[in-house]
């Protein structure tokens, strides 16, 4: 075993191949042409991303956070309205609700899937509930059937946070297509990434697609007619052309991520670890590969000492973040989310991670537990 290996979380060079010359040529022509933000590249990417997901419309925006905020605003969800979200998500999901002027209401996580817990959602429902935002966390699709039935019965919207799950599927159907809208991020860390920030909302609703268009361009559908209190949140032509080029490789990358995850499962079998449950009718796309242990912090330090870029996502649940102090949430209120924050660790996973890298990571997880390679 190579004792001086480094196993990084990202390898951007591996996301490009011979196509990098073609991308650079397109960027060059965009630079010389102008027309940066109402660009044909943007329209072409929107069409391709809608087709990829199987929705009528895709509307690009400046980032994943704006995808959520603008969707809420476009659905006229704001002051006095409640939106339910899980306590174990990235800050932006909960912040988007507050930034739109609505009240975030938290649900706990499921102990095996780490996704939103349905019993907790039912307990959190009120006459003011206007939406539930399930997060397809770490790339695992949230089961949608029960939530869809509840949504039909209670009349709230489902807005999917698919920022970590581009191309993940349930019964062959892409996440982001089950609710009124699916919200995506193209931040550099995500499975489909721009060279900077970007985001997108997909939907079958023409009304919502039009409203997102207005909200992302100062409330306008035609120039100088400001219909709603919109903001400025657009994807530029350069990002659109990069994303469009990468989109054709995403299915292969997701396949590879699933293979690498299976390999980790094999290599780490028989260790005292928990794993996010995988269900047979879904396609988890392993944005992150998590392992669960009570000894998380010391295992993390051990792996980092060995040059392995393991990280914690997320070390502090929403209800304990200072930014949300005004909501009067207490420690102990969402016990599963708190436990996950203390026990989950992400091992490096990339479409291009090599067998040798995975063996090296697994060998050091095993050595921590005093178990040697089988
Ligand atoms: C990344 C992410 C976001 C926010 O996306 P940005 O593009 O960084 O604004 C929202 N929700 C989840 C679950 C994310 O992982």
């Amino acid at each position: 075993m190579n004792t001086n290996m480094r196993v990084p979380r990202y390898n951007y060079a591996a996301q490009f191949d011979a196509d990098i010359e073609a991308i650079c040529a397109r960027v060059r022509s965009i630079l010389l042409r102008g027309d940066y933000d109402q660009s044909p590249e943007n329209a072409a990417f929107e069409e391709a991303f809608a087709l990829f997901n199987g929705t009528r419309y895709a509307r690009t925006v400046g980032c994943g956070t704006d995808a959520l905020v603008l969707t809420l605003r476009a659905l006229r969800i704001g002051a006095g309205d409640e939106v339910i979200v899980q306590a174990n998500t990235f800050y932006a999901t909960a912040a988007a609700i507050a930034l739109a002027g609505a009240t975030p209401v938290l649900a706990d996580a499921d102990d095996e899937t780490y996704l939103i817990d349905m019993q907790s959602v039912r307990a959190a429902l009120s006459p003011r509930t206007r939406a539930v935002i399930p997060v397809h966390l770490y790339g695992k699709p949230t089961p949608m059937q029960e939530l869809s039935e509840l949504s039909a019965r209670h009349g709230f919207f489902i807005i999917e946070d698919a920022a970590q799950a581009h191309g993940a599927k349930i019964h062959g159907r892409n996440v982001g297509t089950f609710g009124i809208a699916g919200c995506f991020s193209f931040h550099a860390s995500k499975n489909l990434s721009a060279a900077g920030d970007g985001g997108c909302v997909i939907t079958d609703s023409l009304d919502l697609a039009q409203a997102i268009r207005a909200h992302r361009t100062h409330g306008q559908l035609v120039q100088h007619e400001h219909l709603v209190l919109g903001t400025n949140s657009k994807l530029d032509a350069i990002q659109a052309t990069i994303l469009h080029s990468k989109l054709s490789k995403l299915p292969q990358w997701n396949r590879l991520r699933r293979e690498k995850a299976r390999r980790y499962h094999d290599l780490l079998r028989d260790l005292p670890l928990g794993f996010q449950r995988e269900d047979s009718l879904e396609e988890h796309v392993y944005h992150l590969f998590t392992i669960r242990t009570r000894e998380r912090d010391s295992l993390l330090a051990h792996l980092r000492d060995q040059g392995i870029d393991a990280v914690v996502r997320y070390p502090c649940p929403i209800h304990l973040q200072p930014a949300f102090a005004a909501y009067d949430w207490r420690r102990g209120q969402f016990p599963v989310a708190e436990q996950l924050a203390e026990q989950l660790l992400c091992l490096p996973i990339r479409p291009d991670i090599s067998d040798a890298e995975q063996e090296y990571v697994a060998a050091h997880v095993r050595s921590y537990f005093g178990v040697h390679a089988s």
Side-chain angles (χ1 to χ4, degrees), residues 9-56:
R9 254 178 315 142
Y10 306 119
N11 178 356
Y12 290 105
Q15 296 184 8
F16 301 94
D17 42 54
D19 62 2
I20 193 153
E21 297 305 332
I23 294 173
C24 290
R26 280 200 296 279
V27 169
R28 183 173 190 277
S29 81
I30 292 166
L31 290 176
L32 297 176
R33 181 197 69 203
D35 194 12
Y36 299 141
D37 69 355
Q38 302 286 332
S39 71
E41 286 81 7
N42 206 315
F45 173 66
E46 287 184 338
E47 197 180 325
F49 198 61
L51 190 67
F52 171 81
N53 286 299
T55 47
R56 288 211 182 91

Side-chain angles (χ1 to χ4, degrees), residues 63-65 68 89-90 92-93 135 161 163-164 185 187 190 197-198 314:
C63 62
T65 307
L68 292 161
T89 181
F90 177 54
T93 323
V135 184
D161 183 340
Q164 303 188 355
S185 164
H187 179 261
K190 314 291 183 183
D197 282 305
Y314 298 93

Side-chain angles (χ1 to χ4, degrees), residues 14 104 142 310 345:
T142 306
L345 174 64

